[in-house]
Amino acid sequence: MSASEDRLRDLLINGLAGDTSTYHAFLKELSAHLRAFLRVRLSRLPDEVEDLVQETLLAVHNQRHTYDAGQPLTAWVHAIARYKLIDLLRRRAGRDALTDPLDDDLHMFASSDAEAADARRDLARLLERLPDRQRLPIVHVKLEGLSVIETARMTGMSESAVKVGVHRGLKALAAMIRSNDENR
Amino acid sequence: MKTDELIAMLANGADAVEPNALGRRYATALGWGAIGATLLMIITLGVRPDFADAARLPMFWVKFAFVASVAAAGLVVAARLSRPGVRLGLSPLALVAPVLALWILAAVVLADALAAERTGLVLGQSWKACPFVIAGLSVPVFVAALWAMKGLAPTRLCLAGFAAGLLAGGVGATVYAFYCTEMAAPFLGVWYVLGMSIPAAVGAVIGPWVLRW
């Protein structure tokens, strides 16, 4: 577990320094741990697991600037996953009472599950509902892999507007997931 | 969208993250908040006319140290609550300590005073206004601190709102100390503490609503 923690931590720290392929490897490996972690805790709601894996990955990405290199990665990831899990259970609380205890064990990286089921919520469809100033930067920079400069030229937006659009758009996506679930 | 596609999307073009986001965000929030609170006080109240004389009294500095240490402890606790997975540890003690110290001082002052003076020591000249003025002056920092937290990732929202309120109350009371002429420890122990508790209570109530992410 600690070997896994150290390796993941190195991947994240390099990723935070701007190395996108390391960051990709970090998210990929993290997703398997999250899946195992959430599958155990959502044993009564197996259909929700992949949606919550995606929501947590988005949260990890949007909040990645809050990771402090001196802090155990397990504690940081665990707190985010637990927060999103509780948030989900709270959103559902009106419909059915869930009393699964949320234990505090910190063995998050002890297990891993690389088998992704299909998510029920399609983030691509939520993405379409974003305003253009956020949607276009995400489509060009994040999905098509164009540079910020190319995207700026293509859309007529300024470079900083493209960066802000990506940032705010991904945050708006997280907010849409929350409100979407509440209205479901 | 499949999870692997999401991961590819998130990683694509993920630029380097500027280090110490928390420090920069709180510095911005506190800077603007304190400027806002000071302007608010100067416009609505002014500055204590005998400020230069008052600054020579030891009790002025005791009062200043009291409110400033509440603000500082509020900042430490708020900063810890802004990061997922960071334990509070003993930091809440830093909030309790200045209040306890002031209450001990207040008890000594009251015990020393003549029975007829005690009511005056507690009520002072301005007890009716004091808590509300402090709460009012805390508004700029309160808004700014919630903005700072909102851009970070608090996971205990009620506590986080409470800490943001205490930070704001501490700064509001520190600014107010430049105007307020009350110097008696019993007065401070009741009305200043109450004034700083108002934004803290508001923060605890609205935290779960406004700080969600």
Side-chain angles (χ1 to χ4, degrees), chain A residues 16-18 20 27-28 31 50 54 61 63-66 71 75-76 79 83-84 87 118 122-123 142 170 178 182, chain B residues 1-4 6-12 14-17 21 83-86 151-153 155 157 212-213:
Chain A
L16 291 178
T20 52
L27 289 175
K28 178 83 188 147
S31 70
E50 204 56 32
Q54 294 194 354
H61 177 78
Q63 264 66 235
R64 66 194 189 283
H65 59 288
T66 65
Q71 180 190 8
W76 184 73
Y83 174 76
K84 284 294 172 185
D87 203 49
D118 278 343
D122 190 358
L123 288 179
K142 305 295 275 183
L170 291 179
R178 293 200 304 267
E182 269 159 10
Chain B
M1 186 183 286
K2 290 190 182 306
T3 301
D4 278 349
L6 172 69
I7 289 171
M9 178 183 101
L10 294 178
N12 229 343
D15 282 337
V17 170
R83 269 197 182 127
V86 174
L152 297 160
T155 55
L157 305 186
R212 264 181 90 192
W213 50 277

Side-chain angles (χ1 to χ4, degrees), chain B:
Chain B
M1 186 183 286
K2 290 190 182 306
T3 301
D4 278 349
E5 292 165 341
L6 172 69
I7 289 171
M9 178 183 101
L10 294 178
N12 229 343
D15 282 337
V17 170
E18 275 187 76
N20 195 17
L22 181 135
R24 280 179 293 116
R25 218 165 158 95
Y26 270 103
T28 308
L30 267 183
W32 286 110
I35 290 172
T38 308
L39 286 179
L40 192 60
M41 184 185 73
I42 291 173
I43 292 166
T44 56
L45 302 170
V47 179
R48 182 173 174 162
D50 63 342
F51 179 72
D53 293 334
R56 276 190 231 118
L57 300 172
M59 195 53 209
F60 177 85
W61 293 104
V62 170
K63 173 168 129 180
F64 190 78
F66 166 61
V67 286
S69 49
V70 171
L75 176 62
V76 170
V77 174
R80 286 193 173 214
L81 286 168
S82 300
R83 269 197 182 127
V86 174
R87 284 166 195 276
L88 279 179
L90 296 176
S91 60
L93 285 183
L95 271 173
V96 177
V99 178
L100 266 187
L102 187 76
W103 281 351
I104 291 169
L105 182 62
V108 171
V109 169
L110 284 179
D112 254 7
L114 298 170
E117 294 171 348
R118 286 183 186 146
T119 316
L121 285 171
V122 173
L123 297 183
Q125 307 285 319
S126 59
W127 65 277
K128 279 182 194 158
C130 170
F132 302 107
V133 176
I134 289 176
L137 290 176
S138 74
V139 169
V141 175
F142 188 58
V143 173
L146 289 178
W147 165 83
M149 271 188 176
K150 183 90 185 139
L152 297 160
T155 55
R156 293 189 268 172
L157 305 186
C158 184
L159 264 183
F162 181 81
L166 273 182
L167 165 61
V171 175
T174 304
V175 170
Y176 183 54
F178 285 97
Y179 173 81
C180 167
T181 52
E182 305 283 357
M183 292 285 195
F187 180 92
L188 304 176
V190 177
W191 307 109
Y192 267 59
V193 170
L194 190 66
M196 294 188 284
S197 305
I198 293 172
V202 173
V205 172
I206 67 171
W209 298 98
V210 300
L211 293 174
R212 264 181 90 192
W213 50 277

